[in-house]
Amino acid sequence: AHGEIRKIIGVFDNILWLTMYRAGSSKDKEVLVAINVHNGKLLYMLPEELPISDVHVKLIEDKKTIVSIKSGISTGFIDSYFVEIDALTGKVSRNQTIKAFEKENLKIGLWQFQEDKIYFTANKDFLNATHIGVLDYTTLDLLWFEEVKDRKAGLKEIQASLDKIYVLDQGNQLHIYEQE
């Protein structure tokens, strides 16, 4: 009755978090839902007005938060939205645009959280992710970014370890960056 489940985000303290897509007339149809794992009761359903991604959303257990980062598709600048929600209470702690992306015309694609940093792919053109970078989780400052050279089409996967960033392009070519 609430919509189609798009992503099971995870379980935190007996709360199952997931995103749903709801058809209808509203512009933003993605909804974040929390369900009690013991009785199946709906605990929270965050409003459609929040700029939440239905797939680019993650449970960050050590921060006790649910984080969604999303952007749109445009040749010009379009905002990338960062939404952070307390995984226990469902309260929104941050709902803002990533201002550091505006100057560089970056639009976030895929992302991963590790060691208080957000590792991401981004695009400047219409569709293909062509850049990778690192954001500070707390300040959302852009710490580093660059275009992935000699890639085959856009970027489709990113992973980070303590000293390397791995990015896979759509031609299945792996690019490895050493972190300084």
Side-chain angles (χ1 to χ4, degrees):
H2 294 293
E4 171 191 320
I5 294 174
R6 284 291 170 95
K7 181 175 182 176
I8 297 171
I9 300 165
V11 175
F12 187 80
D13 197 36
N14 298 311
I15 300 170
L16 171 65
W17 286 94
L18 47 91
T19 57
M20 302 193 77
Y21 178 81
R22 304 191 308 174
S25 60
S26 81
K27 187 175 125 260
D28 296 313
K29 300 173 183 132
E30 293 85 23
V31 180
L32 188 62
V33 176
I35 298 169
N36 180 305
V37 296
H38 296 297
N39 60 24
K41 289 201 189 311
L42 179 67
L43 298 172
Y44 317 113
M45 184 158 59
L46 279 85
E48 295 177 16
E49 299 81 45
L50 275 177
I52 293 175
S53 171
D54 56 343
V55 292
H56 301 296
V57 57
K58 299 179 188 328
L59 166 64
I60 301 176
E61 289 192 51
D62 62 330
K63 298 285 185 188
K64 300 179 174 80
T65 62
I66 304 294
V67 173
S68 166
I69 309 175
K70 82 172 199 175
S71 190
I73 297 170
S74 172
T75 50
F77 179 74
I78 190 165
D79 284 319
S80 291
Y81 295 95
F82 183 95
V83 178
E84 183 177 33
I85 293 142
D86 185 299
L88 284 173
T89 67
K91 298 274 187 263
V92 177
S93 54
R94 288 198 275 180
N95 176 13
Q96 64 193 85
T97 59
I98 302 173
K99 295 288 183 207
F101 279 12
E102 193 169 341
K103 186 177 123 199
E104 303 298 340
N105 187 28
L106 292 172
K107 297 167 270 291
I108 199 158
L110 304 172
W111 63 274
Q112 176 192 350
F113 170 84
Q114 186 167 316
E115 303 286 321
D116 284 329
K117 292 181 177 70
I118 297 165
Y119 297 86
F120 65 86
T121 65
N123 65 313
K124 286 191 172 204
D125 66 0
F126 208 77
L127 286 173
N128 289 323
T130 53
H131 290 66
I132 63 169
V134 183
L135 275 175
D136 181 280
Y137 175 80
T138 306
T139 65
L140 296 183
D141 288 337
L142 189 55
L143 302 175
W144 170 85
F145 80 99
E146 81 175 35
E147 183 174 359
V148 177
K149 303 287 185 201
D150 302 320
R151 69 185 182 281
K152 295 177 179 155
L155 306 174
K156 69 175 187 177
E157 185 82 33
I158 187 166
Q159 291 292 320
S161 67
L162 292 176
D163 62 344
K164 290 184 178 60
I165 301 171
Y166 304 90
V167 64
L168 185 65
D169 67 26
Q170 291 171 336
N172 290 321
Q173 182 172 269
L174 182 63
H175 306 265
I176 301 171
Y177 289 78
E178 300 262 350
Q179 295 191 60
E180 295 174 5

